[in-house]
Amino acid sequence: MGNLTIGVFAKSAGVSIETIRFYQRKGLLVEPDRPYGGIRRYGEADVARVKFIKAAQRLGFSLDEVAQLLRLEDGTHCSEAAEIAGARLTDVRARLADLKRMDAALSRMVRDCRVHDSNVSCPLIVALRCRSE
């Protein structure tokens, strides 16, 4: 049993009260019982759980993936956790490849605009117009 109100809990975890409630609705965080005439109290384990959720999200895990990882949190399911992380890594690498292609295309377009010196159409606008057709 904890002794933190939801406001203190949220502040300790570095999130808003609305985030706590959202995680509760999603089933990522248990909503403690409210004692008769009292207020719900949270503990340090709850703070650690929210910090785990936020750390996983910063690595790109979806809330569904975070829920899967939380089910494995006893530490004995490393291969299953690695499988989830491997899928995330594959996605990250694919997005990086997409970003590199976008970087190259935009770099070419910006370069073409900078060397363009006529009053005809801007090469960037023309390129985007052609891509949309």
Side-chain angles (χ1 to χ4, degrees):
M1 188 73 160
N3 200 28
L4 305 174
T5 63
I6 193 168
V8 174
F9 167 36
K11 188 172 186 171
S12 297
V15 298
S16 70
I17 292 172
E18 297 311 313
T19 298
I20 300 297
R21 291 186 176 132
F22 177 75
Y23 289 165
Q24 289 171 335
R25 286 191 302 272
K26 290 288 189 182
L28 298 170
L29 188 62
V30 175
E31 186 174 2
D33 293 329
R34 182 190 307 255
Y36 182 74
I39 58 173
R40 292 182 175 93
R41 298 291 178 162
Y42 300 86
E44 290 303 318
D46 297 310
V47 173
R49 188 173 181 96
V50 170
K51 287 182 176 182
F52 176 93
I53 294 167
K54 295 308 291 179
Q57 285 183 300
R58 281 191 298 276
L59 289 174
F61 289 100
S62 69
L63 288 180
D64 287 338
E65 291 166 330
V66 172
Q68 291 174 348
L69 292 171
L70 285 168
R71 285 192 287 278
L72 305 173
E73 75 177 326
D74 67 1
T76 62
H77 304 279
C78 199
S79 64
E80 294 159 63
E83 202 172 299
I84 295 167
R88 175 63 31 233
L89 181 59
T90 298
D91 181 57
V92 166
R93 287 178 174 161
R95 285 195 275 160
L96 280 171
D98 287 343
L99 287 170
K100 287 177 183 176
R101 282 190 294 277
M102 291 165 58
D103 178 85
L106 285 169
S107 293
R108 275 190 310 278
M109 289 179 191
V110 167
R111 184 187 64 241
D112 290 349
C113 278
R114 288 194 176 133
V115 299
H116 181 61
D117 60 355
S118 71
N119 290 333
V120 188
S121 298
C122 170
L124 182 121
I125 302 299
V126 170
L128 291 174
R129 199 172 284 137
C130 290
R131 290 179 190 273
S132 67
E133 295 173 352

